[in-house]
Amino acid sequence: MDIVMTDKQFKTILEMVDMILDGCKDLDEAKRKVQKLIENQGGKKED
């Protein structure tokens, strides 16, 4: 099964990343925050 992302979903993801980056002091902090979000999603199964 292929998962297709709509333009609206993609825009929403980019807006969320923008909010994360806006609150960071430097690149390392931004990377840590994004990595933590990825790890938190790792345990969830998408159907």
Side-chain angles (χ1 to χ4, degrees):
M1 180 175 151
D2 291 334
I3 298 175
V4 178
M5 184 182 311
T6 66
D7 289 341
K8 183 177 179 180
Q9 289 170 319
F10 187 65
K11 182 178 183 230
T12 301
I13 291 169
L14 290 177
E15 288 170 345
M16 293 170 66
V17 171
D18 183 54
M19 287 189 288
I20 293 167
L21 297 177
D22 193 38
C24 296
K25 293 175 260 181
D26 57 30
L27 182 60
D28 289 332
E29 182 181 0
K31 287 180 179 181
R32 283 192 307 271
K33 286 184 177 184
V34 170
Q35 188 61 42
K36 185 169 176 93
L37 287 172
I38 292 169
E39 290 170 2
N40 287 343
Q41 291 300 312
K44 297 180 182 178
K45 183 173 177 132
E46 294 182 25
D47 291 325

